[in-house]
Amino acid sequence: MKTKIPVWVNILQVVILAILTFQTYACYFNPQLLYPGITVDENSAKMIYVLGGRNAMMVIISVIALVRQNPRFYSFAFLMHSLRDFQDMFIAPLTGGGIVVFFVFLIVFVTPEILSYLKLNKMANEMEKA
């Protein structure tokens, strides 16, 4: 049984990939793009590079998922996306992002990512049964 990843899942993955790529670039080369006014010193640089490394690995996973179009691997990628954004959703209000940012994360990222994970996981399970 050959499955086809839904277009909306691929579009969501491309949007996430674009955001992660920008964040990775900013962390490594210009943190001011993400955090205007930040003073990059020895201590803050370590934290920014760790965040850049996290995002870089998610970029690689996202690209592999897009290329392979394998529902099981793709579901893994979306599980990671949703857990990352779920965490960020709760961090944003604590760091001055406000409650609006919480709901943006919930509606724009976390909910579609969870729906993608569920759809892809179902597709993978159906492929394994066939």
Side-chain angles (χ1 to χ4, degrees), residues 67-82:
V67 170
R68 288 188 63 200
Q69 294 288 295
N70 177 286
R72 180 65 65 209
F73 187 83
Y74 224 146
S75 69
F76 168 73
F78 270 99
L79 177 63
M80 291 183 67
H81 290 319
S82 62

Side-chain angles (χ1 to χ4, degrees), residues 13 16-17 20 57-67 73-74 77 81 84:
Q13 182 70 339
I16 293 168
L17 179 59
L20 287 169
M57 291 306 101
M58 289 302 300
V59 164
I60 292 168
I61 288 168
S62 297
V63 168
I64 293 170
L66 274 171
V67 170
F73 187 83
Y74 224 146
H81 290 319
R84 181 197 65 241

Side-chain angles (χ1 to χ4, degrees), residues 1 12 19-20 24-25 34 39 47 50 61 65 68 79 84 86 90 98-100 102 104 112-113 122-123 130:
M1 176 177 167
L12 179 59
I19 293 167
L20 287 169
T24 301
Y25 169 81
L34 289 176
T39 302
M47 291 182 282
V50 167
I61 288 168
R68 288 188 63 200
L79 177 63
R84 181 197 65 241
F86 185 74
F90 286 101
I99 196 72
V100 171
F102 174 91
V104 168
E113 289 166 351
K122 180 180 176 189
M123 290 173 70

